[in-house]
């Protein structure tokens, strides 16, 4: 018989997991701590590794209808504005990896998953459920919330993010340790392209690299909106748990220092800015960091990473499909073995992405001779340096 699985967390990872499990005919109940299902934030890049999984969930056509399909990735110096390297996306990515490279608004992707789950899901969607405690036995799990409600199932999947409650159930030395607050702050803004001067509108992904900072701009919502993110090694202004802090262009410019006129014009054109503090965990060291008995983790609950490889959402989506694949022929009694297979299949890839994301941060934000060497290598190697076959083809 199909298993009854409780999914803690109703973000992109949690909804994708529930949808993938429903596709395998398991019952998946989703528990969201907010009063309504929704997503904060702005844009997210989805490489072919992620869009391929979303196609497997029968979302390919609807995903294409809400996404932007950038034609290229261009990397610039934040100080001079000069182009360092360029990689074609668009048709080139589709031909090379068999799936597109998309940029989407987080809320649009979340809404797409939620609509699909409401149509095809096999369980219930519960809001206002802030999970306080997880209890497990040989054949059951129980979730209890801060408002004294409780739910019982045969397994639990923690999709509850960076500050996960479910991860405390792992048999891993770092399971109960808090995440690392990196000291890096991200600022984000979103604007309709029609509101921008023609020179600032974009149909590609643009990246600017500067000392201890970088900026990214790319289209979302079929190319009708522009998403801009700046990440700088600057002390966070607010609570590290708050992913949606108010901020100002003044605070952003203080963190940025000097940058080229084109980038400054783009930043000045944004109508408003929000900020959040970046956190992560050290790369995982084994399958025990992803699952234990009837408990498994997906996405940031298992492997939060800095966004310097643009793969946070991608890895959560990969996890969701892999977990459902491991549960393909499993019933309730098989859950521990299936979760063990899932963790064994996923931990090393996730650890590699975590480590590469940290390394990319060092390269993106380099100063002195390292920065000069980086720029020279990008000018010489171009797309060969930017492409990631191990990642996009995985």
């Amino acid at each position: 018989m199909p298993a009854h699985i409780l999914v803690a967390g109703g973000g992109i990872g949690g909804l994708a997991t529930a949808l993938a499990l429903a596709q395998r005919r398991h019952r998946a109940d989703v528990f969201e701590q907010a009063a309504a299902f929704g997503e904060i934030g702005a844009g997210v890049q989805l490489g072919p590794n992620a869009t391929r999984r979303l196609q497997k969930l029968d979302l390919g056509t609807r995903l294409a209808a809400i996404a932007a399909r950038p034609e290229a990735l261009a990397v610039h110096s934040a100080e001079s504005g000069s182009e360092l390297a360029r990689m074609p996306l668009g048709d080139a990515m589709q031909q090379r990896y068999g799936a597109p490279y998309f940029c989407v608004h987080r809320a649009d992707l979340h809404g797409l998953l939620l609509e699909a789950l409401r149509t095809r899901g096999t369980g219930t969607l519960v809001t206002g459920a802030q999970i306080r405690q997880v209890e497990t036995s040989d054949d059951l799990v129980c979730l209890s919330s801060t408002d004294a409600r409780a739910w019982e199932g045969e397994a639990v999947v923690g999709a509850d993010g960076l500050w996960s409650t479910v991860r405390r159930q792992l048999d891993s030395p770092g399971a109960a340790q808090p995440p690392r607050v990196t000291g890096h702050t991200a600022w984000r803004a979103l604007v309709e392209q029609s509101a921008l001067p023609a020179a600032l509108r974009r149909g590609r992904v643009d990246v600017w690299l500067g000392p201890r900072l970088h900026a990214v701009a790319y289209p979302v919502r079929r190319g009708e909106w522009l998403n801009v993110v700046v990440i700088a090694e600057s002390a966070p202004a607010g609570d590290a748990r708050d992913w949606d802090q108010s901020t100002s262009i003044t605070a952003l410019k203080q963190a940025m220092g000097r940058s080229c006129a084109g980038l400054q014009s783009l930043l000045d054109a944004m109508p408003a800015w929000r900020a959040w503090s970046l956190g992560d965990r050290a790369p995982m060291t084994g399958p025990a960091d992803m699952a234990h008995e009837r408990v498994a983790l997906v996405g940031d609950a298992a492997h939060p990473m800095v966004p310097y490889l643009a793969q946070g959402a991608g890895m959560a989506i990969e996890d969701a499909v892999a977990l459902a694949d491991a549960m393909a022929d499993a019933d309730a009694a098989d859950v521990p073995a299936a979760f063990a297979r899932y963790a064994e299949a996923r931990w090393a890839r996730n650890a590699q992405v975590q480590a590469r994301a940290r390394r990319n941060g060092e390269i993106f934000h380099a100063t002195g001779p390292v920065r000069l060497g980086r720029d020279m290598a990008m000018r010489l190697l171009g797309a060969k340096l930017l492409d990631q076959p191990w990642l996009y083809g995985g």
Side-chain angles (χ1 to χ4, degrees):
M1 285 191 53
H4 179 193
I5 301 171
L6 312 180
V7 180
I12 288 170
L15 296 186
T17 299
L19 186 61
L21 288 168
Q23 197 175 52
R24 298 292 191 172
R25 298 182 301 279
H26 296 289
R27 174 180 170 179
D29 298 336
V30 181
F31 301 88
E32 167 57 37
Q33 67 176 350
F37 283 93
E39 180 66 270
I40 62 171
V44 59
Q45 298 181 62
L46 297 174
N49 57 302
T51 57
R52 190 180 305 114
R53 267 74 174 193
L54 291 169
Q55 289 171 346
K56 188 174 180 179
L57 295 177
D58 297 325
L59 297 174
T61 300
R62 280 170 287 178
L63 178 65
I66 64 169
R69 195 169 185 247
E71 79 264 3
L73 165 66
V75 182
H76 315 264
S77 163
E79 294 176 306
S80 69
S82 62
E83 186 173 302
L84 302 175
R86 180 181 289 248
M87 178 176 69
L89 299 175
D91 292 341
M93 273 287 185
Q94 177 73 47
Q95 292 165 7
R96 185 169 174 82
Y97 296 110
Y101 192 108
F102 282 156
C103 296
V104 300
H105 192 292
R106 279 186 179 274
D108 294 344
L109 176 58
H110 187 272
L112 181 67
L113 291 165
L114 184 60
E115 178 189 13
L117 191 59
R118 283 176 169 154
T119 303
R120 297 187 255 147
T122 50
T124 58
L125 301 173
V126 182
T127 56
Q130 184 173 355
I131 302 304
R132 178 181 60 87
Q133 191 171 355
V134 182
E135 297 178 82
T136 64
S137 67
D138 289 343
D139 53 3
L140 291 174
V141 299
C142 180
L143 300 184
S144 57
S145 64
T146 53
D147 59 356
R149 288 179 290 167
W151 302 269
E152 199 171 73
E154 291 156 338
V156 60
V157 176
D160 49 343
L162 179 66
W163 301 89
S164 172
T165 297
V166 177
R167 72 171 285 121
R168 298 173 195 161
Q169 298 298 313
L170 296 184
D171 186 22
S172 169
Q177 296 299 314
R180 178 184 74 133
V181 178
T182 64
H184 296 196
T185 298
W187 285 263
R188 64 172 180 269
L190 193 70
V191 65
E192 283 194 85
Q193 300 240 44
S194 61
L196 295 172
L200 296 181
R201 299 173 191 173
R202 282 173 166 75
R204 67 189 183 203
V205 180
D206 279 306
V207 181
W208 294 264
L209 305 181
R212 288 180 285 276
L213 66 91
H214 79 285
V216 186
Y218 53 84
V220 296
R221 291 184 163 164
R222 301 164 297 280
E224 297 163 10
W225 290 69
L226 186 68
N227 180 74
V228 182
V229 179
V230 177
I231 300 178
E233 296 177 21
S234 171
D239 185 349
R241 291 176 181 256
D242 186 356
W243 286 68
D244 196 28
Q245 303 168 22
S246 62
T247 189
S248 68
I249 186 67
T250 302
L252 171 56
K253 286 188 171 183
Q254 286 176 346
M256 282 201 67
R258 185 167 56 89
S259 60
C260 65
L263 179 54
Q264 289 289 348
S265 296
L266 180 63
L267 303 184
D268 287 335
M270 294 300 108
W273 290 92
R274 308 295 291 182
W276 80 99
S277 306
L278 300 183
D280 72 353
R281 292 183 183 274
M284 293 185 294
T285 59
D289 291 332
M290 289 205 75
H292 176 64
E293 298 295 340
R294 293 182 176 272
V295 178
L297 303 180
V298 300
D300 284 351
H303 44 74
M305 57 189 71
V306 285
Y308 302 133
L309 201 56
Q311 281 292 323
M315 289 302 104
I317 293 165
E318 283 194 17
D319 287 347
V321 173
L323 182 67
D325 285 348
M327 287 288 295
D329 300 314
D331 59 20
D334 300 326
V335 165
F339 280 7
R341 288 194 300 272
Y342 157 73
E344 188 62 48
R346 288 296 302 162
W347 79 267
R349 178 167 169 83
N350 283 319
Q352 183 180 16
V353 175
Q354 285 179 290
R356 281 293 193 95
R358 282 189 174 186
R359 179 172 171 267
N360 267 14
E362 295 171 0
I363 295 170
F364 285 6
H365 294 189
T367 60
V370 176
R371 177 178 66 86
L372 297 175
R374 175 203 67 199
D375 292 356
M376 184 180 299
M378 285 194 170
R379 288 190 173 102
L380 285 172
L381 299 173
K384 290 182 180 179
L385 195 63
L386 297 176
D387 200 3
Q388 307 282 342
W390 67 272
L391 177 62
Y392 299 142

